[in-house]
Amino acid sequence: MAHPKRRQSATRRDKRRTHDKLTPKAVTICSNTGELHLRHKAYVVDGDLYLHGKVAIKDYAPVAAAAPASDEE
């Protein structure tokens, strides 16, 4: 096992730890729908996909949920 020859200073230790702090996600409330959503991301409300406060896709259904799994053997 490796052992340090010299003690690392508190400054060097703290510089390494500066990136360990977690930051909260940027969440906002839509002015049109009143829904909480992540900023700069599309979100679904009542089956419609919204982006930047406007309807991007009407009657939106995710691709993975729309295709039923079938076993063909």
Side-chain angles (χ1 to χ4, degrees), residues 2-64:
H3 293 286
K5 192 165 192 173
R6 301 261 188 268
R7 179 177 175 170
Q8 197 173 46
S9 70
T11 304
R12 288 188 65 189
R13 178 199 64 210
D14 294 342
K15 277 193 233 176
R16 186 184 69 247
R17 291 180 180 172
T18 58
H19 306 291
D20 292 345
K21 185 173 77 168
L22 293 175
T23 56
K25 298 270 185 181
V27 178
T28 188
I29 298 174
C30 179
S31 58
N32 293 339
T33 61
E35 288 288 320
L36 270 173
H37 66 93
L38 293 175
R39 295 189 56 114
H40 310 288
K41 302 284 183 188
Y43 55 98
V44 178
V45 177
D46 297 329
D48 297 334
L49 185 73
Y50 284 82
L51 182 64
H52 305 298
K54 298 176 187 169
V55 177
I57 300 174
K58 202 99 166 121
D59 298 327
Y60 174 76
V63 176

